[in-house]
Amino acid sequence: MSSALKIGKFRWAIVTLVAVATIINYIDRGALGFLWPEISDDLGLSKTDYAIILNVFTFAYAFGQTLFGKIFDWIGTRLGFVLSIVVWSAATMLHAVATGLTSFAVFRAILGVSEAGNWPGATKANAEWFPINERALAQGIFNSGAAIGGIVSAPIIAYLFVFLGTWQATFIAVGALGFLWLVPWLIMYKSGPDTHPWVSEEERQYILTGQRNEESGEVADYAPNSKEILSRKESWGVIMASFFLDPIWWLFVGWLPLYLNETYGFGVKEIGLYAWVPYVGAMFGAWFGGLFAQNRIKAGWTVNKTRKAVISLGGLIMLVSLLMTTQAATPLVAVLLMAAILFGFQTAVGNIQTLPSDFYSGKSVGSLAGFAGTAAKLAVVGLNFLIPIITVNSYTPAFIVGAALAILTVLSVLVFCPDIKPLKSKSA
């Protein structure tokens, strides 16, 4: 039996659980949009009220990225996920007792803060459980949870609504999914790989020795405080890349239904038939970006060359597809091009999200991931204000903005991250 076959695969069970949490995360956040026609009829709420609630969530989500980045570094991955998913599941259930704009906004804010923990938590789990050559693939598996969540949330929520009969009961059922997830998580995630009783010695050594940068022979053991993190240009490369990239994803998450309605006159039924297609591209992109990075590192490419090549490829795919979308003649062509855009997005984002663990040790990874996540969501808030202004006549200006953002994303990494490898203290 080869040594590769002797190595256990428990680390993949951990990242699969994190991916499932991400699917639940997307189902929970998507419930409001799908149930909004019923909610607005029952409570007399308007489209403006929905926009306010959407931005309350996004602001809270931005704040929650930094907050939970620090929390995960303080209390660890196991308890960090428990806290995040318990609070966001309870917040989802509380939507059932909302009676108007204020109560929805409050519950949505709690949901936003707590759901944000999923992302720095996943980045931290990745840094702890995976060697460098597998991190982009692990991040891709986790990120595919967001895409799968986008695909399955509509039919799941629709089925629950039809079966249960009210939007209130649907929120309670959706919120219960997170509490069910806690059972396997608490059973399986007893500790990190260095002391976990279910991890074989071969897998433990494979994980720990694989966290050393092969070309430099260094391991990321530099764990600076927040002030030091923000003093490094490499950190700003990660933050700026996230700031420019994330609005491209949310351009489709937040505005695709309205685009289909305003551009092609689609109703709810037609939107449901088309809106899932881009997320299929995202799912494949998440897997492709991880597998391609793993393949190149195994072929002898440096981490620096691999990350930059895969991120640049993702940026190029986004750029070309966004420009082509401005000329889409039919809704089918439009959503297929959007699938290509989100394929490129996920190809790039998985490798961008591994950068904190390429530069720093696990004690600072969550913090930098949180800073980057906050910057990303603040950019999304800006996008949400901008889109109604620039899409009065068509959505072409929005796609051109997206193309510019794709270019700026790649430049942020190429300019501010000249050599992707473990950093050392400036005083060392």
Side-chain angles (χ1 to χ4, degrees):
M1 183 180 293
S2 69
S3 59
L5 292 177
K6 292 180 181 178
I7 299 170
K9 300 187 182 298
F10 189 74
R11 63 196 183 281
W12 298 108
I14 294 297
V15 77
T16 299
L17 266 182
V18 175
V20 172
T22 309
I23 294 171
I24 295 170
N25 187 296
Y26 262 72
I27 294 171
D28 284 12
R29 77 173 62 178
L32 180 70
F34 290 115
L35 296 171
W36 187 253
E38 293 290 329
I39 294 169
S40 60
D41 285 346
D42 277 1
L43 303 180
L45 297 173
S46 67
K47 183 178 178 181
T48 301
D49 294 327
Y50 178 76
I52 292 170
I53 294 167
L54 181 65
N55 264 341
V56 166
F57 172 87
T58 310
F59 270 115
Y61 197 80
F63 170 73
Q65 292 274 341
T66 292
L67 174 64
F68 267 94
K70 301 299 291 185
I71 286 174
F72 271 88
D73 282 342
W74 289 336
I75 67 176
T77 305
R78 184 176 193 260
L79 292 179
F81 264 108
V82 170
L83 178 63
S84 177
I85 204 163
V86 163
V87 176
W88 99 50
S89 298
T92 301
M93 291 176 136
L94 284 171
H95 282 55
V97 298
T99 56
L101 174 61
T102 301
S103 51
F104 267 114
V106 169
F107 298 146
R108 210 67 187 168
I110 298 170
L111 182 73
V113 169
S114 51
E115 280 205 334
N118 197 66
W119 270 256
T123 301
K124 187 174 180 66
N126 188 359
E128 291 173 347
W129 279 91
F130 287 88
I132 291 172
N133 69 309
E134 291 181 345
R135 281 181 187 163
L137 177 56
Q139 199 74 25
I141 292 172
F142 150 67
N143 280 330
S144 70
I148 295 169
I151 295 168
V152 305
S153 55
I156 288 175
I157 293 165
Y159 174 80
L160 288 172
F161 175 74
V162 170
F163 181 74
L164 297 171
T166 67
W167 59 266
Q168 292 93 338
T170 305
F171 275 120
I172 292 172
V174 169
L177 296 174
F179 290 104
L180 291 174
W181 178 89
L182 284 173
V183 176
W185 178 257
L186 289 172
I187 291 172
M188 294 176 63
Y189 203 114
K190 300 178 183 297
S191 68
D194 51 339
T195 59
H196 199 293
W198 295 2
V199 176
S200 68
E201 190 58 32
E202 292 80 9
E203 184 175 16
R204 194 184 332 274
Q205 291 307 313
Y206 176 74
I207 294 169
L208 299 179
T209 58
Q211 294 176 348
R212 185 174 298 278
N213 187 292
E214 288 188 11
E215 63 267 22
S216 67
E218 298 172 327
V219 64
D221 57 4
Y222 175 41
N225 58 32
S226 295
K227 182 179 179 181
E228 289 178 89
I229 290 173
L230 295 176
S231 73
R232 306 298 295 251
K233 65 181 179 181
E234 292 86 355
S235 299
W236 284 100
V238 178
I239 292 168
M240 291 172 63
S242 301
F243 178 87
F244 292 127
L245 182 62
D246 214 48
I248 297 174
W249 175 263
W250 287 83
L251 174 64
F252 299 101
V253 170
W255 296 97
L256 176 58
L258 275 72
Y259 164 80
L260 292 172
N261 171 258
E262 294 172 15
T263 306
Y264 300 106
F266 278 11
V268 173
K269 181 179 178 181
E270 293 86 357
I271 290 172
L273 288 173
Y274 280 84
W276 59 274
V277 174
Y279 293 103
V280 176
M283 178 178 67
F284 285 114
W287 296 339
F288 170 77
L291 287 168
F292 184 45
Q294 182 185 50
N295 174 270
R296 290 300 82 203
I297 291 175
K298 286 185 175 180
W301 285 21
T302 65
V303 172
N304 180 60
K305 181 179 179 180
T306 298
R307 298 280 185 256
K308 290 177 179 177
V310 180
I311 291 167
S312 298
L313 176 61
L316 179 62
I317 294 170
M318 286 186 286
L319 173 63
V320 172
S321 302
L322 279 158
L323 293 176
M324 290 177 66
T325 305
T326 65
Q327 304 299 316
T330 68
L332 179 59
V333 171
V335 294
L336 289 174
L337 284 169
M338 291 173 189
I341 294 165
L342 295 189
F343 179 95
F345 175 93
Q346 288 289 359
T347 296
V349 74
N351 282 268
I352 290 172
Q353 289 171 339
T354 65
L355 294 177
S357 60
D358 290 330
F359 290 130
Y360 302 114
S361 81
K363 295 180 180 178
S364 294
V365 168
S367 296
L368 177 54
F371 292 141
T374 292
K377 298 309 172 290
L378 290 176
V380 173
V381 172
L383 177 81
N384 286 338
F385 284 122
L386 180 64
I387 292 298
I389 298 171
I390 65 176
T391 59
V392 174
N393 297 315
S394 81
Y395 277 75
T396 294
F399 298 131
I400 292 173
V401 168
L405 292 173
I407 295 171
L408 291 169
T409 298
V410 176
L411 288 177
S412 296
V413 175
L414 297 181
V415 173
F416 288 90
C417 304
D419 193 6
I420 299 171
K421 65 180 183 180
L423 296 177
K424 298 296 182 184
S425 171
K426 291 179 179 179
S427 60

